[in-house]
Amino acid sequence: MFVAMSSPEATGHIVKDVEPGATGDQWRWTKQNPSLRILPVTTQHLKLKADFSLWDVAFRQTGPVELTFLVNGRALDKIRYTTPGQKHFEKPIPSEWLTAGVESIVSISIDKLYKAPEDGVKFGFILSGIGFVQ
């Protein structure tokens, strides 16, 4: 129920806004609203867990950013991050938001994107893994 970006199966879970990575990469760049499909085997006592990083170079351009963590389109939490670096998010999900055996969509929305000065490509944050844990 947890998708590590280093997993060969990670690409099959991506709905949108997660950049392709090389085989074995521990992380992937995201865009504005990275979303993945996750299949919960139960609805009881699950938490949304996300491991990600806010790149210090990007952070110097964007300043503090706000991330909204969503499960099936519902906002589970909104957090303003005032420092770059590795981050960990984990919060219980109301059981009525999920259906066991039916894929759920988990997303993280970032309010400001980094724009690369060389080519103008926009990026959100660095995603290492996301999914459900008990």
Side-chain angles (χ1 to χ4, degrees), residues 50-124:
D51 293 313
F52 59 97
S53 296
L54 300 173
W55 188 37
D56 60 340
V57 172
F59 206 83
R60 279 180 278 198
Q61 184 188 100
T62 64
V65 292
E66 189 171 85
L67 274 64
T68 304
F69 299 85
L70 302 114
V71 177
N72 290 325
R74 294 174 156 169
L76 183 62
D77 206 347
K78 186 180 284 192
I79 300 174
R80 184 173 187 263
Y81 292 93
T82 58
T83 60
Q86 292 185 344
K87 308 295 180 186
H88 175 81
F89 173 86
E90 196 167 314
K91 186 169 183 176
I93 304 166
S95 60
E96 62 271 13
W97 289 16
L98 304 169
T99 302
V102 176
E103 285 186 333
S104 290
I105 304 295
V106 296
S107 308
I108 305 172
S109 177
I110 187 167
D111 66 337
K112 292 182 272 187
L113 295 174
Y114 165 74
K115 184 177 179 181
E118 310 82 41
D119 56 12
V121 175
K122 295 180 180 180
F123 297 99

Side-chain angles (χ1 to χ4, degrees), residues 5-49:
M5 292 299 103
S6 60
S7 168
E9 291 83 32
T11 300
H13 290 272
I14 296 169
V15 174
K16 68 175 187 170
D17 284 0
V18 178
E19 293 293 297
T23 302
D25 279 353
Q26 300 298 308
W27 54 269
R28 296 184 189 201
W29 276 108
T30 69
K31 299 291 187 180
Q32 187 97 43
N33 300 295
S35 302
L36 290 90
R37 287 182 202 89
I38 309 287
L39 183 67
V41 296
T42 181
T43 62
Q44 301 302 306
H45 311 292
L46 290 183
K47 299 177 199 169
L48 177 63
K49 174 183 170 183

